Each structure stands twice: as structure tokens, then as C-alpha cells.
Amino acid sequence: MSHSDVALRRSRVLLTGYFLGLGVEMAVWGARMPAVQHAAHLTTGSLSLVLLAAAAGMVAGLQAGGRLARPERLPVLLIGVAVALAAALALLGQCRTLASLLAAALVFGAAHGVLDVAANTGAVRCQNAYGMPIMSSLHAAYSIGALIGAALAAATAGTAHSTLFLAAGATLTVGVLAAVPRTLTLSGTDPAPLSPHEGRHRTPGRVWLLGALAAASLLGEGAAADWAAVHVHALHAGTALAASSFALYSTGMAIGRLTGDRLTTRFGAPVVVRVGALLAATGLATGVLADTVPAALAGWTVFGLGLSGTVPSLITAAGTHGPRAVATVSVTGYLGLLTGPALIGALASITTLPTALLLPALLAAALAALARRALENTTP
């Protein structure tokens, strides 16, 4: 094995660690939200403001990341922003007032946004150097990290959230600092430049289409996170069984991403996304319309499995247009993630929850219909 091959493999392992850590930090923060609310004596409305501050920071961070994540800046950006994210999480654990939580949440969200773009830009460059799909496995690391973070939060439910946030932040910081020498030698190559004709006429439309499909996919993820347990519980399942619905969705997502690179190599991104989106649409629609607990649990699992290849493929396609395109697709996608649950709730209030949950299934079907147009000629 040549020196460049060894360096490239080390870079892939390094980026896997960054995605894993990002998933852990986000899950730890989200899973202990009730403790944050209790410690600061927040009303539901005040907690919503904290979440809005984190979301606003994330959108700003994604946009800033698009401007900052140039190849020569990536190593320093990854190190600095990852440490900032860890520090912000530790700080959130110490906040006991609404004002301090708003400020810390804004910083936390901004750091997450910049790190998201930096890690994905590094992943695109590493994938280009490999000459084969690796993006799905990197995103699988994020999904696995989220499962680890959720498990840690559950296992330490009797421990103060401030202790957990501090421990998670310190662990991430130690890991980042230990990997500094390897991060500074991060390997990868930039995508081939677009022709003047393509850059002038095709790039904007293609990027916005990728963003719209990312929003459709992440709206489904938001629906699973916020409504899956409610849906299953409404079918008269117990609290624990209902709560397992999102875990099953996440498991399906992780399994799909662990196998996604091999499938993309063999069949190409358009086929993988199209078939996966059709599977997701069919699974969720069947689970909702069957109106039984087993069908609902199976439907959410299949939904996660089917959508697993979508975001990695969309980020890969955006990466051919540079970091700003990655940021644009990420921002648009996260808007779907943030607004989707509220939209489903509004639809449920005027119809029924099962009817409202057909929306992400319909969007998955639309994603399948547009996958080939959005993703043609994007597989490494």
C-alpha cells in the first residue's frame, strides 16, 4: 500500500470520527432537553425560544461554513469549530437562565452548522480522492453516534445533565486535540471544475433542486423524530413500545447507510435513491394506513431504511459545485427538518395524524420521481 493510500485511509477514519462525535453531541443535547428546561425553570414557550436560537445559529453557521470551508482552511476549521461545539455543549449544561441559554444555544447551533459543512466538504474531497462512494458510511457514523448519544443520555438519566454535557464536551475535545496531527494532513482532492456552460446555466437550478429534495428527505426525518412515537402511542401502544419507533427508524437509517456505498458503487446514486425513496414511501404509507402497532413499527423502520441513502447522495452531488453549494443544500434541507414537524401538526389539527403523516410518504414518492434528474453523473 502506497503512502498516499495510507494517508487517504487515515483521513477517512478521521472524518468518520468527526461525524460520529457530531452525532453524539447532538443526541446528548436533544435527549436531555427536559432536564435543561427543568434546571432553568422554563415554560414550554421559553424552551421553544431556546430551540429557535439553536436553529437560527445553525442556519447562520451553515451559511458561514459555505464561505469558510475552502480546502486550505479545512483542517484548522475542523479543529477549531469542533472544540467550540464541545465548549458550547458544556456551557449549556451550566446555564440556569433563559438569557444565558439563548446565547449558548446560538453558539452551539452556529458551531454545529459550520462543522456540518466543513465535515461534509472534507468528506466530498476524500471521496473524490478514493474515486468511489464513501459518503454513506460517513453519514452512517453520524447515525451511530446519535444512537450512542441517546443511549448515554438514557443510561445517565439519574445524573445531572450538566455532568453529562461536560463529560461529552470534554471527551470530544480530547479526541479532537489528540487527532490534530492527522487533521492537519487531511487528504483529498477537489472535484473537477465545471465547464463555463454548465456553471453558468445548470448549476443554480441543479443546486436548488438538490436542496428541495434534501428538504423533502429531512422533513421525513423530522416527522419520525417528533411524531413516530405519538403515532404509535395513538394506536394504544405502551409508552416504551411507542418510544421504540424512532429507535427503529434510526436503526433502519444506520443499516441502510452502512450498506449504501456498496449499493451506490454497483447501481449508481440515482437508482439507489429512487428505489430507496419508493421503499420509504410504500413503507410509511402502509404503516400509517394499516392502523396496527406492528405495521406502524415496521413502517417507520422501512421509512428510515429507504431514506438512508438520500442525504449522502445529495451532499455528494452538491459537492461537485463547491462548499457553497453544500451549504445551500444543507440550509434548505434543515429548513425541511425544522419546519416539517410543525407542518404535520397543523395538518393533523385539521384532518387526522395518520392523514398528515401521508405527507412525508408523498414527498418520498416525489423524491423518487426526481432522483434521476438531480443525481445524474454524480457518482464518483
Side-chain angles (χ1 to χ4, degrees):
M1 184 179 296
S2 68
H3 176 74
S4 60
D5 289 338
V6 172
L8 196 57
R9 180 167 294 184
R10 287 177 176 174
S11 294
R12 181 177 181 178
V13 172
L14 174 75
L15 289 167
T16 299
Y18 270 97
F19 277 98
L20 183 75
L22 187 56
V24 170
E25 300 289 299
M26 293 305 297
V28 164
W29 159 244
R32 294 303 297 271
M33 198 65 63
V36 173
Q37 181 180 15
H38 177 75
H41 306 288
L42 301 180
T43 63
T44 301
S46 296
L47 180 61
S48 296
L49 291 177
V50 173
L51 297 176
L52 181 61
M58 184 184 299
V59 171
L62 289 167
Q63 293 174 329
R67 295 189 295 271
L68 296 172
R70 297 182 179 179
E72 67 276 11
R73 297 175 180 169
L74 274 179
V76 174
L77 196 63
L78 285 169
I79 295 167
V81 180
V83 171
L85 179 69
L89 180 64
L91 182 61
L92 281 166
Q94 308 304 316
C95 294
R96 296 296 182 269
T97 66
L98 176 60
S100 62
L101 277 170
L102 288 172
L106 188 67
V107 174
F108 183 77
H112 174 272
V114 176
L115 187 57
D116 186 286
V117 174
N120 276 298
T121 300
V124 169
R125 297 186 75 246
C126 189
Q127 180 171 254
N128 290 335
Y130 260 91
M132 59 182 290
I134 64 169
M135 185 70 76
S136 186
S137 64
L138 293 175
H139 280 247
Y142 179 90
S143 298
I144 293 170
L147 289 172
I148 292 172
L152 283 173
T156 59
T159 304
H161 74 285
S162 57
T163 302
L164 176 61
F165 286 10
L166 181 61
T171 301
L172 176 62
T173 300
V174 169
V176 169
L177 295 179
V180 164
R182 191 165 292 181
T183 306
L184 292 175
T185 58
L186 189 66
S187 298
T189 60
D190 295 321
L194 299 171
S195 67
H197 174 78
E198 184 176 8
R200 186 167 57 249
H201 296 292
R202 294 186 62 187
T203 300
R206 174 71 65 86
V207 171
W208 285 116
L209 177 58
L210 292 170
L213 297 184
S217 179
L218 289 176
L219 184 148
E221 184 167 332
D226 289 5
W227 290 106
V230 177
H231 169 229
V232 176
H233 190 265
L235 298 174
H236 309 294
T239 302
L241 186 59
S244 71
S245 56
F246 182 64
L248 289 170
Y249 165 87
S250 300
T251 300
M253 179 74 70
I255 291 172
R257 286 181 171 173
L258 286 171
T259 59
D261 291 329
R262 291 192 293 274
L263 293 174
T264 301
T265 299
R266 182 170 181 179
F267 300 108
V271 172
V272 170
V273 172
R274 184 168 67 249
V275 173
L278 285 174
L279 181 66
T282 303
L284 182 58
T286 301
V288 168
L289 296 174
D291 205 32
T292 66
V293 171
L297 293 174
W300 286 111
T301 305
V302 172
F303 189 59
L305 180 66
L307 288 183
S308 60
T310 302
V311 172
S313 296
L314 295 173
I315 293 295
T316 293
T320 64
H321 304 289
R324 291 199 178 190
V326 172
T328 298
V329 171
S330 297
V331 168
T332 311
Y334 276 111
L335 289 176
L337 178 68
L338 296 171
T339 62
L343 177 59
I344 289 172
L347 289 174
S349 68
I350 59 177
T351 57
T352 64
L353 180 57
T355 301
L357 287 174
L358 291 175
L359 174 62
L362 290 173
L363 288 176
L367 200 162
L370 295 169
R372 182 171 183 176
R373 179 181 175 187
L375 297 171
E376 60 183 352
N377 301 323
T378 59
T379 302

